[in-house]
Structure formats: structure tokens, C-alpha cells
Amino acid sequence: MIKLHVNNEFSRLRAVVLGTAKTNGPAPTLEDTYDPKSALHIKAGTYPKVSDMVVEIAAVCSIFEKYDVTVYRPSDIIDYNQIFSRDIGFVIEDKFFKANILPDREQEFTAIKHVWSQVPEENRIQFPEEAHIEGGDVMPHGDYIFVGTYRGDDYADYITARTNRAAVDFLQETFPNKKVKSFNLRKSNTVAEDNALHLDCCFQPIGKGKCIIHENGFLDKEEYEWLINHFGVANCFQIDKQEMYHMNSNIFSISEDVIISEKNFTRLNTWLRAQGFTVEEVPYFEISKQEGLLRCSTLPLIRD
């Protein structure tokens, strides 16, 4: 059995599910895309090649090996995108939640059943049918659970809206002793620069009491300001619209002091080092073309 434990985004990582690109298959058709950034690259003929994505994920795997992290991988499904393991599930405390994802992606979860089955049955949680949620919107943070959502009445019109109010309510019922704090995110089906697909596309807490944040990802200014006040303005690294588009907030913490980041995030990586972090740089630009980066492709199971 796996003894799950995750209570924040940055305590020392011990075990993780890392996505795979080995059997990703050909680029999808424009009609089969789920986000505007993938659509943009399909139209431009720059959608990432499987061979390039395999190299990028292998670079992350080698960093995990360097830090003695146990790595689980999905079983292979031929011609199927299995890179973004965070979308399909997440762990809070000792509970493994199966996300309620887009129906076309249901097979992705079957590929990690060998992990799910090692969790005690009472700690395997499934959301009610009406609760939509993906792991990129969920961030345990001590006494808080931060959740990205979209609260507009036109929720059903946005394929980029992945987490609804019913899911937020279910999390609060599951963790009555925690404060579930939701954030209304900006959505666009067509303009990648205006779309915060998940909370981790515009915000992420890191070690040392700091965070990375993009103001325009939040529809409600007071919710953005709540985060600034919670962390303290001096502890918030503000990213601009282009940096959000390139997924600068979607890095991944191995510990309070060690962060995996994309090698081209020059401004961010310089700031992180100035704050005392060790930055392990990897190439991840090709994968980012699918509107996901390092946090999206990792599902932590055990942190100290």
C-alpha cells in the first residue's frame, strides 16, 4: 500500500506520478483540441513532436532520480495523450481524488489504476457526477485548500472551464476543518493569452512563504488581492501576460528549497535563485504548447 501524504505544494517530495509522452500519437485535429494554445499550434504547424516531448519528460525524470524521488508512470495507451497526470487526480492529506475530467479523457485514469489500487479503499475518493474538477485547479496549502473555478452562468459554454462550484462544495464537505478558498478564473476558448485554464496557470505557492502570480488570470480583483495580502507583496513574483502564456507559474517544487523550472524562464529563474532557491532547469517548451507545463504533468503522492 502507498501511504499518501500531501498537505502543500512544496514540502520534500518522496513519490510522484509523472506523465508520459511515449505513445502520444499524431497531433490531434483542430476539432479535437481542448484549449486555445494547442489549437494555435495546430493551425501554425508547430504542434510538438512526440520525440521532443519524450526527451523533455525524461529530463524531469532524471531530476527526480537525482533527488531520490519514487516515480510512478502511467501504463501505455497507444495514440493517447497521457502527459498531464495532474488533470486526472490529486492527493490531499491521505486521500486520493479521482478528478471528474472531460469525458474524452477518461482513459487516462485507467492508466494509473496500478497506483490507485495501492491506496486503501476508504481513501479513494470520487466526486459526484455533477461536480467537475481537474487537479490543476486544486492546491492544498496547510489549513487552506485553494481551488480555481469559473462561476459564470455561461460555464457550460467554456471547454476551458474545468472546475465548478459543486466540486468546491464537495471539497469543503470532505475537509470541514480546512478553509476551501475558491478563485474565479478568466476563461477563453479562443485566445490563449486570455485563458487561465487552471489555477496553476496563473498562480502557485512555492517554499519560503512565496508565490508566483498573474493578476489578469483572476476575474475578481478582491480575490487576487486576498492572495497578495496573504503572502505579502514582497513575497509575490508578478508575471506578465506573456509569461503566463508561456506557463511561468507552472513550475514544480521538489522541496522548500528546490524547484524544477523551464530553462527559458530567465527572469523567474534569476529571481528564484536570488531568493535562495536551487533551480533545476529543464527543457519543457514543446510540452508547454499544449497549455500545460511541469506542475500539470506531475501528481504528487507523498510529501514530508
Side-chain angles (χ1 to χ4, degrees):
M1 286 298 196
I2 300 174
K3 193 173 181 180
L4 301 172
H5 184 265
V6 175
N7 211 30
N8 59 45
E9 293 294 316
F10 44 77
S11 288
R12 178 63 161 90
L13 183 71
R14 302 296 177 183
V16 67
V17 179
L18 175 65
T20 180
K22 283 194 304 181
T23 55
N24 215 60
T29 64
L30 198 57
E31 294 73 27
D32 289 335
T33 57
Y34 306 124
D35 66 89
K37 194 171 182 182
S38 292
L40 184 154
H41 284 287
I42 288 169
K43 290 176 185 175
T46 53
Y47 194 81
K49 298 175 182 176
V50 170
S51 57
D52 292 334
M53 294 190 291
V54 167
V55 169
E56 291 183 343
I57 290 180
V60 176
C61 195
S62 68
I63 301 297
F64 287 145
E65 291 169 358
K66 174 180 175 179
Y67 287 91
D68 297 319
V69 175
T70 299
V71 181
Y72 296 88
R73 308 302 296 274
S75 56
D76 293 338
I77 303 173
I78 302 302
D79 292 344
Y80 204 78
N81 190 328
Q82 297 173 261
I83 294 171
F84 299 124
S85 58
R86 182 81 63 149
D87 289 358
I88 61 178
F90 55 92
V91 173
I92 301 176
E93 294 185 346
D94 60 354
K95 294 176 173 54
F96 195 155
F97 290 83
K98 178 182 183 290
N100 259 1
I101 56 176
L102 296 169
D104 289 351
R105 298 182 61 187
E106 183 65 28
Q107 284 188 64
E108 285 182 66
F109 195 83
T110 67
I112 62 166
K113 283 290 181 70
H114 58 288
V115 179
W116 173 260
S117 64
Q118 294 183 64
V119 175
E121 192 169 353
E122 65 271 19
N123 289 342
R124 301 180 216 161
I125 311 296
Q126 299 195 47
F127 283 81
E129 186 176 350
E130 69 276 8
H132 305 160
I133 194 163
E134 292 185 353
D137 274 324
V138 182
M139 296 179 182
H141 191 71
D143 292 336
Y144 288 93
I145 302 172
F146 298 146
V147 185
T149 187
Y150 179 66
R151 295 194 288 266
D153 292 337
D154 54 353
Y155 176 94
D157 296 336
Y158 286 98
I159 196 169
T160 52
R162 304 293 174 81
T163 298
N164 64 8
R165 283 179 281 193
V168 175
D169 293 342
F170 182 79
L171 282 173
Q172 186 65 81
E173 292 165 10
T174 306
F175 296 101
N177 296 323
K178 288 185 179 287
K179 302 166 191 169
V180 178
K181 178 80 175 168
S182 69
F183 300 91
N184 201 22
L185 302 182
R186 189 174 305 281
K187 302 293 180 179
S188 173
N189 288 338
T190 56
V191 182
E193 291 89 344
D194 293 333
N195 181 49
L197 187 65
H198 294 125
L199 182 58
D200 60 17
C201 295
C202 61
F203 166 75
Q204 187 175 170
I206 55 177
K208 306 179 189 292
K210 302 184 186 302
C211 74
I212 304 164
I213 194 165
H214 175 61
E215 180 176 359
N216 199 50
F218 298 85
L219 282 174
D220 298 339
K221 188 175 179 63
E222 62 270 21
E223 293 179 356
Y224 159 78
E225 289 176 345
W226 187 94
L227 286 168
I228 297 297
N229 292 331
H230 182 78
F231 286 89
V233 65
N235 292 317
C236 299
F237 183 80
Q238 300 272 358
I239 59 175
D240 63 26
K241 196 170 188 175
Q242 273 301 299
E243 288 170 325
M244 188 194 88
Y245 171 76
H246 289 298
M247 312 295 292
N248 277 231
S249 62
N250 206 274
I251 46 78
F252 183 76
S253 295
I254 290 181
S255 73
E256 183 96 15
D257 303 298
V258 180
I259 291 174
I260 309 177
S261 181
E262 215 286 331
K263 66 178 185 178
N264 292 305
F265 294 169
T266 305
R267 192 173 77 91
L268 171 63
N269 295 345
T270 300
W271 179 83
L272 289 170
R273 291 189 174 105
Q275 305 305 309
F277 292 96
T278 297
V279 181
E280 297 284 359
E281 295 186 354
V282 296
Y284 230 65
F285 177 75
E286 294 301 316
I287 286 173
S288 76
K289 293 176 179 178
Q290 299 174 93
E291 206 153 353
L293 205 85
L294 292 155
R295 189 178 186 273
C296 292
S297 49
T298 49
L299 195 175
L301 302 172
I302 304 171
R303 290 186 183 272
D304 287 352

